[in-house]
Amino acid sequence: RSYNYCLNELVESRREFLRAGLASKSIMPSLGYSTVYLCVGLPLAALEEDLVAYSKDANAFGCTYTMLQWALIVRQTILNLQNSVDDPTILCGDAMDQGEELQKVEGHAHKMTLRDINTHRLLLACYYSDWDTAEVLVDALDEYLDTHDNFLARSHVRRCYLGLAGFALGRKSKSAKNRKKYGAVGKKMLKSFTTEMKYGSVNAYPMVTMLEAEEAPSKHSYDKAIKACARLGQIHHEAYMCERAAEFFEEQDDEGWAQFYADQAVILYGEWGAAGKTNQLKQKYKDRLSTASQELSVNGSIQGRPRYSAKELEGLREIDWESFGA
């Protein structure tokens, strides 16, 4: 089923765990919610608020520290999209410092935290078109290309950006060896989503169209991907495909279509709430963007609704859960 329909169920699952006195177990639905939210592409600001509240809960419930780190990683990713920073692919800011967080864990926990940091850095590298960093991160995530992940949404995010980066690097790399190497990564991710789609996954279809467009760029393939993302409300992917289409037409010296798709990308990134990315795109296409698109990108951000708060936590502090077992 579509990820869009899973969010309410994850919120309710968290509440049920809290009502049952299983506070620490309520963190897993929180992890799922934040990851699925990223897959769906709903407004960033609301999730950032949720993650602040969720982090407080994770601390209070004495959860495994890697669970709290997941919230920190996602929140810093959002902050890097919302703000213009010197190096947006480095997870360092108000939420966390990636170097410091890696020093806090060791062994298997260190490996998993590094994997998640690199996955979200790759996401940022794709959105900010930092292909040198993307190349380093695709190599760092190589061991996870064939790894089965029981957390499907987490795997979905990782495979999505491995595929997008793979095809981009497959075209941009200077050496034929690297073009073949990274193109193969893109093809592998496309195959994995195509297989899921054959088994009826509605979440796989937009991924397949996006990766097909990156594998064989054309107006038709980009329009197909843009429509597929729009139908599921995936503003972030719709914006990304518009940006890639603008770049494609710019390379073809077609200024008319390049401006059209750049305008759409700026508006959509603005609606997602990714002001940092929007500003980068405005600077890149400053001589081509229409006045209307620049105004809408500033004033058109969709307002999401935060779903988490610390109220449940306060309620738990007032209840003697041990009395329920008496």
Side-chain angles (χ1 to χ4, degrees):
R1 61 186 306 188
S2 171
Y3 282 137
N4 302 59
Y5 297 109
C6 296
L7 293 171
N8 285 339
E9 293 177 359
L10 288 165
V11 170
E12 187 56 33
S13 176
R14 175 179 182 270
R15 289 172 179 159
E16 287 299 320
F17 278 122
L18 289 173
R19 293 187 189 112
L22 302 172
S24 61
K25 292 186 180 297
S26 73
I27 302 304
M28 287 308 297
S30 304
L31 289 174
Y33 176 88
S34 62
T35 307
V36 170
Y37 194 109
L38 276 183
C39 293
V40 175
L42 292 173
L44 293 171
L47 180 57
E48 197 272 328
E49 285 187 49
D50 288 336
L51 287 164
V52 172
Y54 158 56
S55 298
K56 293 178 181 178
D57 285 1
N59 271 321
F61 295 154
C63 295
T64 304
Y65 189 69
T66 51
M67 292 186 177
L68 174 58
Q69 284 184 317
W70 177 263
L72 299 177
I73 291 168
V74 177
R75 184 174 172 233
Q76 189 60 56
T77 300
I78 292 171
L79 293 173
N80 284 15
L81 288 164
Q82 290 178 318
N83 302 286
S84 297
V85 295
D86 292 338
D87 189 345
T89 66
I90 299 294
L91 296 179
C92 183
D94 291 344
M96 65 173 283
D97 180 304
Q98 63 184 50
E100 292 179 1
E101 289 304 320
L102 285 169
Q103 291 177 3
K104 296 177 182 178
V105 286
E106 54 188 28
H108 182 70
H110 182 279
K111 183 177 181 179
M112 295 300 97
T113 297
L114 180 60
R115 176 202 61 192
D116 295 336
I117 285 174
N118 286 339
T119 296
H120 287 78
R121 289 187 63 207
L122 181 60
L123 177 157
L124 291 166
C126 287
Y127 281 113
Y128 281 103
S129 302
D130 184 346
W131 302 117
D132 289 337
T133 297
E135 183 173 346
V136 173
L137 293 169
V138 171
D139 289 345
L141 290 166
D142 179 73
E143 66 178 294
Y144 300 104
L145 293 179
D146 299 307
T147 302
H148 176 71
D149 194 328
N150 291 326
F151 190 180
L152 184 59
R154 180 171 60 193
S155 168
H156 184 99
V157 172
R158 185 167 61 248
R159 288 181 293 132
C160 170
Y161 295 104
L162 277 169
L164 292 173
F167 281 129
L169 292 169
R171 293 199 306 275
K172 295 177 180 295
S173 295
K174 295 180 180 179
S175 72
K177 180 181 179 180
N178 281 345
R179 287 196 295 273
K180 182 178 180 180
K181 170 186 174 181
Y182 294 115
V185 172
K187 290 178 185 295
K188 181 172 287 189
M189 298 303 101
L190 174 57
K191 183 178 179 180
S192 74
F193 282 115
T194 301
T195 300
E196 288 183 7
M197 187 175 71
K198 288 179 179 178
Y199 284 100
S201 171
V202 294
N203 301 304
Y205 178 65
M207 300 300 101
V208 170
T209 61
M210 289 172 67
L211 294 174
E212 286 179 341
E214 288 294 83
E215 181 182 30
S218 69
K219 186 177 188 307
H220 172 74
S221 62
Y222 279 123
D223 284 346
K224 181 180 178 181
I226 290 166
K227 289 177 182 177
C229 295
R231 284 171 182 163
L232 279 182
Q234 296 180 359
I235 292 176
H236 58 328
H237 289 154
E238 188 182 354
Y240 185 82
M241 284 290 98
C242 285
E243 180 185 3
R244 302 297 289 152
E247 184 176 304
F248 169 74
F249 282 108
E250 187 176 39
E251 292 171 352
Q252 304 297 314
D253 294 323
D254 190 329
E255 293 188 7
W257 282 119
Q259 177 184 334
F260 172 79
Y261 286 106
D263 277 342
Q264 297 305 307
V266 166
I267 292 170
L268 291 164
Y269 279 129
E271 290 182 355
W272 189 31
K277 172 60 192 177
T278 305
N279 292 336
Q280 184 206 46
L281 213 54
K282 284 181 178 180
Q283 183 62 31
K284 180 179 179 180
Y285 292 102
K286 60 183 178 181
D287 296 327
R288 294 186 180 181
L289 294 175
S290 67
T291 302
S293 69
Q294 296 192 54
E295 291 177 350
L296 283 171
S297 69
V298 174
N299 302 316
S301 179
I302 297 173
Q303 298 300 308
R305 177 165 60 95
R307 306 297 295 274
Y308 286 164
S309 74
K311 290 182 179 179
E312 292 98 335
L313 177 57
E314 294 302 322
L316 285 174
R317 289 180 177 140
E318 298 170 1
I319 298 174
D320 179 9
W321 291 107
E322 294 182 0
S323 67
F324 283 83

